Amino acid sequence: MPTARPRLVQVAQRATDFVATTTFYADLLGVEPVASFDPPGLAFFDLDGVRLLLDRGAPSALIYLPVDDIDEAVAGLREKGVEITSEPHVIFGHEDDTLGPAGTDEWMAFFTDPEGSTVGLVEQRPRS
């Protein structure tokens, strides 16, 4: 039965190399998992009330993470040897507040995690 307002509870991401992938995401997110069970290979991160589950048995997902400075975030990942698959670029502009603050541009960049899954970074940057 649906709740009054739909919300996202959890997103799962593949982690066949459980230790390496959990370490990667802990470093990327700047927090440790709130719970980890190995076996069977499950790690949970709390992302502002939505759980990111790293799971040995999950398929790959495309997740997007917000950043304050996309150029700085990409440079930091590159310094760590992370493969950047798409450099920061504008996806669209926010004319109103439907998807983000009016007067900002939606910037995205993409990289590959240790499992080969694509991860997106998102910055809503004021137009210059």
Side-chain angles (χ1 to χ4, degrees):
M1 177 162 243
T3 60
R5 181 175 176 192
R7 65 183 189 93
L8 184 62
V9 173
Q10 180 170 289
V11 174
Q13 183 66 296
R14 180 178 56 216
T16 56
D17 186 341
F18 183 70
V19 172
T21 304
T22 301
T23 300
F24 176 85
Y25 276 91
D27 183 53
L28 176 69
L29 300 170
V31 297
E32 293 298 315
V34 294
S36 186
F37 306 95
D38 193 24
L42 305 172
F44 295 86
F45 292 87
D46 180 2
L47 305 181
D48 197 23
V50 177
R51 296 182 305 223
L52 171 61
L53 165 62
L54 302 182
D55 179 351
R56 278 194 177 107
S60 179
L62 175 54
I63 60 174
Y64 295 81
L65 301 170
V67 295
D68 293 328
D69 184 326
I70 200 165
D71 297 311
E72 182 180 297
V74 167
L77 289 168
R78 187 173 278 118
E79 287 174 8
K80 294 176 183 176
V82 174
E83 179 188 2
I84 306 301
T85 56
S86 179
E87 295 294 328
H89 60 284
V90 175
I91 300 293
F92 60 87
H94 297 278
E95 301 307 321
D96 58 30
D97 293 331
T98 303
L99 296 175
T104 62
D105 287 327
E106 186 98 356
W107 285 75
M108 291 188 185
F110 297 88
F111 64 92
T112 304
D113 77 4
E115 295 290 327
S117 299
T118 300
V119 178
L121 299 176
V122 180
E123 176 190 352
Q124 294 172 338
R125 183 183 294 174
R127 288 193 193 119
S128 37

